[in-house]
Amino acid sequence: MEVHLRVAHEGDFEFAFDAKCDAMGPHIRKRWGWDDAFQRDHHRRRWEEKRWYVIEGENDRIGTVAIDITASHVQFGEFYILGTYRNQGVGTHVLRYALSLADERQLETRLEYLKWNPVGTLYARHGFEIRAENEIHYFLVRPPAPKLGKLNPA
């Protein structure tokens, strides 16, 4: 499936919240139940703190991701793909894009996820390692890929 990212704008807020509900709702309900007002407020704070992108297919918005590039690392998060588009390579495509940004800059990539969310297998396949954890999250890091030197013909 061909996908691309575009910078999110305020008009995407409700879609982003719906994508979060779809992707994370089952995992959150399992542990705490779903408090819509709390989740919407939490989502609003994240919306205002991060640089969000909408993941789009040919004709549809299919998810969101936040990719923040800092001087020390690339922060990857708010990665929500609607259920009808999961397991089609979208997550791999988006993650590889973010990792390419980090590799170009020789920065590590950081992320966190809920311990009971099965997305951890995706991150493990792409070289992330758990560096810390608390009772609900794993905190992962992936170092940048080594820069390849130029070959000089003999």
Side-chain angles (χ1 to χ4, degrees), residues 57-75:
E58 291 179 22
N59 299 311
D60 296 318
R61 295 180 296 182
I62 61 179
T64 64
V65 65
I67 303 171
D68 290 304
I69 302 172
T70 73
S72 62
H73 67 280
V74 171
Q75 186 69 43

Side-chain angles (χ1 to χ4, degrees), residues 77-145:
E78 311 307 328
F79 190 31
Y80 310 128
I81 298 172
L82 296 174
T84 55
Y85 297 100
R86 285 185 214 129
N87 300 312
Q88 296 180 37
V90 173
T92 296
H93 180 80
V94 172
L95 183 56
R96 282 184 180 157
Y97 171 73
L99 294 174
S100 74
L101 296 175
D103 291 346
E104 287 171 11
R105 293 162 177 81
Q106 287 295 285
L107 298 172
E108 67 182 25
T109 305
R110 300 177 188 172
L111 61 83
E112 66 184 76
Y113 72 94
L114 292 173
K115 286 183 168 182
W116 53 94
N117 185 334
V119 74
T121 58
L122 171 68
Y123 300 139
R125 283 195 313 268
H126 288 87
F128 283 88
E129 296 179 2
I130 297 170
R131 291 287 171 89
E133 65 183 276
N134 62 24
E135 64 183 63
I136 60 173
H137 289 105
Y138 289 119
F139 300 90
L140 288 76
V141 174
R142 183 231 185 224

